[in-house]
Amino acid sequence: MLKQVLKTAMSLSALSIVLTTSNYANADAIADAVNSEHRPVEQRLRDEYRNPQATLRFFDVQPHMAVAEISPGGGWYSHILAPLLKEKGTFYAAHNYVYEGAHEYYARTLKAFKEKTAANPDFSNTKITAFHHNKAPDFAPAGSLDRVLTFRNVHNWYMDGEQQGLDNAFAAYAKALKKGGILGLVEHKLPEDADDAMQKSSGYMKQSVVIAAAEKAGFKLVGESPVNFNPMDTKDYEKGVWTLPPSLSLGEKDRAKYLAIGESDRMTLKFQKL
């Protein structure tokens, strides 16, 4: 009897170690990616505002998954996602779709992204594709992704098409995700009692508008995190959200004030494809 009890206890202990090790393994994979030696130092300085480890854990991003980042720009989050997914997963960097008549910014930032990542071994298994919410919605095979992530981009879709722009974007994400897949979204947060017109020019969006657009596309809100809240952000600036760092669009005017505020107050939402 005693032998059986000891055997059971040892089995439970071993199971506990396996489960604990597994949890630490996932946590360590994200931490290792955030601390990759190839990650630019200037990007690491923004970690205190963007909280990448807590944000990616909230979205439950794991190393074996197929993940797309929408409109990665200069690659701030890509420099974390690429090494995280390089060995066991698949990473799509759904960058700018350069079309006739597009702003020169599209081609310039895409070129810079490709040049920056080409020499970085963390990106050896990255697929660079194109996305535009109105013109190029197919950035990954339909039903292939576990996660679609987008950081501070919702206002761009709204500023280019308003409600239709939002509808197009969320429909594209639903198409690319597997059933049960997660859309992880971070966006500058506008107070619900603010004038709706501010969404057209300020860079901030109302959370209710974002949720409604996601639900219309077949998503369900399954989580909200306060990790990227910033109560010091008053959201009433001369040049909208770009007044704050890292843009600091007013230059030296009140620079110390805006640096003290830090980056914007942000919603961090997790949606599931039904």
Side-chain angles (χ1 to χ4, degrees), residues 19 59 66 72 77 132 174 186 193 216 240 248-249 251 255 271:
L19 292 175
F59 294 149
Y77 257 103
H132 188 281
V186 177
D193 60 357
K216 184 177 180 180
L248 293 168
S249 295
R255 183 183 182 90
F271 298 96

Side-chain angles (χ1 to χ4, degrees), residues 121-256:
D122 282 345
F123 287 81
S124 61
N125 196 30
T126 295
K127 303 177 188 295
I128 300 178
T129 60
F131 172 76
H132 188 281
H133 58 293
N134 293 329
K135 300 178 182 296
D138 296 327
F139 56 91
S144 67
L145 300 181
D146 299 290
R147 299 289 182 270
V148 170
L149 307 177
T150 185
F151 305 96
R152 307 175 310 283
N153 287 312
V154 182
H155 60 279
N156 292 319
W157 317 326
Y158 189 83
M159 291 167 70
D160 183 14
E162 298 189 30
Q163 189 60 50
Q164 189 60 57
L166 293 183
D167 290 348
N168 291 347
F170 282 103
Y173 309 150
K175 181 179 179 181
L177 280 165
K178 301 173 182 176
K179 184 176 181 180
I182 295 294
L183 168 63
L185 181 153
V186 177
E187 175 60 320
H188 314 295
K189 187 175 182 180
L190 185 68
E192 291 295 325
D193 60 357
D195 187 342
D196 285 347
M198 289 183 67
Q199 298 176 113
K200 189 64 176 171
S201 60
S202 70
Y204 292 92
M205 293 293 302
K206 291 186 177 182
Q207 183 165 311
S208 61
V209 172
V210 175
I211 293 173
E215 291 177 342
K216 184 177 180 180
F219 288 101
K220 176 184 178 181
L221 179 66
V222 293
E224 175 185 359
S225 172
V227 65
N228 293 306
F229 284 176
N230 179 4
M232 296 179 66
D233 178 8
T234 58
K235 310 168 188 182
D236 57 357
Y237 313 112
E238 181 179 344
K239 293 194 175 183
V241 73
W242 301 282
T243 305
L244 297 176
S247 298
L248 293 168
S249 295
L250 295 180
E252 294 303 315
K253 181 180 177 182
D254 294 326
R255 183 183 182 90

Side-chain angles (χ1 to χ4, degrees), residues 26-31 52-61 270:
N26 284 335
D28 287 346
I30 291 176
Q53 292 196 47
T55 300
L56 293 177
R57 289 194 182 102
F58 175 65
F59 294 149
D60 192 23
V61 179
K270 180 163 61 176

Side-chain angles (χ1 to χ4, degrees), residues 84-149:
L84 176 64
L85 301 163
K86 182 177 70 171
E87 300 297 334
K88 300 178 182 178
T90 304
F91 177 47
Y92 290 87
H95 215 288
N96 297 334
Y97 172 63
V98 181
Y99 57 93
E100 185 176 352
H103 194 285
E104 60 85 22
Y105 169 86
Y106 281 34
R108 173 166 50 84
T109 54
L110 175 59
K111 180 174 183 288
F113 182 86
K114 288 181 175 180
E115 290 175 348
K116 183 186 300 185
T117 59
N120 187 328
D122 282 345
F123 287 81
S124 61
N125 196 30
T126 295
K127 303 177 188 295
I128 300 178
T129 60
F131 172 76
H132 188 281
H133 58 293
N134 293 329
K135 300 178 182 296
D138 296 327
F139 56 91
S144 67
L145 300 181
D146 299 290
R147 299 289 182 270
V148 170
L149 307 177

